[in-house]
Amino acid sequence: MINKVIPDIKVPIIKNGNTHLISIADEFLNKKIILFGIPGAFTPTCSEEHFPGYIKLYDQIKKKGVDGIYCLSVNDKYVMKSWLISYSEEHKIHGVADGNAEITNYFNLLSDKTKNHMGYRSSRFAMIIGNNQVQKIKVENPAELKVSSAEYILQIL
């Protein structure tokens, strides 16, 4: 069962190359947010398909009344910041460095990737959040990128 309320958990949030430790509940308060989760920064599907899809459709998603798009990964703030700035395209997607997997655990989205020597990561997912309430959540089956893609989320907004 997925919790429906955004928790008051402080995590590093990366915006425009700057990192601030802030409560995710405070960050999302009174806003419509897309939060998508990836198994890992610098991993193939995340870096080549999932994140670039949100860059490509950013303006169209924003036109649907979305205040911000955030990408969560169970990576530390240094890895997440380096990954975000590694994209040559100008983008305004913010990072959530859930290094201790506190948010991922809260939503029961922890994925065991130990057989691939990747430890525990976030499942691939996307949430539509309004004023700290999860309105919709789409969680991918292993090795898929369908229901959490930017294209799919844009269709259901």
Side-chain angles (χ1 to χ4, degrees), residues 41-141:
F42 296 107
T43 58
T45 302
C46 305
S47 295
E48 297 165 13
E49 296 179 58
H50 204 182
F51 192 84
Y54 282 93
I55 293 172
K56 179 181 169 190
L57 296 177
Y58 180 86
D59 290 334
Q60 291 178 53
I61 291 170
K62 291 282 287 184
K63 286 179 185 172
K64 297 280 190 171
V66 171
D67 296 299
I69 301 174
Y70 292 74
C71 179
L72 176 145
S73 185
V74 179
N75 288 113
D76 65 59
K77 64 185 179 183
Y78 305 106
V79 168
M80 198 67 176
K81 181 178 176 180
S82 293
W83 183 63
L84 289 170
I85 63 174
S86 74
Y87 287 89
S88 59
E89 302 95 342
E90 177 91 16
H91 68 83
K92 297 177 183 160
I93 297 169
H94 307 306
V96 178
D98 190 23
N100 293 334
E102 291 172 278
I103 296 166
T104 305
N105 270 322
Y106 174 84
F107 285 113
N108 196 28
L109 292 168
L110 200 62
S111 178
D112 182 350
K113 304 277 187 190
T114 56
K115 72 177 182 177
N116 296 326
H117 304 279
M118 293 175 62
Y120 292 92
R121 300 295 182 111
S122 172
S123 296
R124 189 179 306 283
F125 71 88
M127 293 181 190
I128 300 172
I129 301 163
N131 195 24
N132 281 338
Q133 298 290 318
V134 177
Q135 297 171 338
K136 292 184 183 173
I137 182 166
K138 300 294 179 182
V139 181
E140 296 288 357
N141 291 321

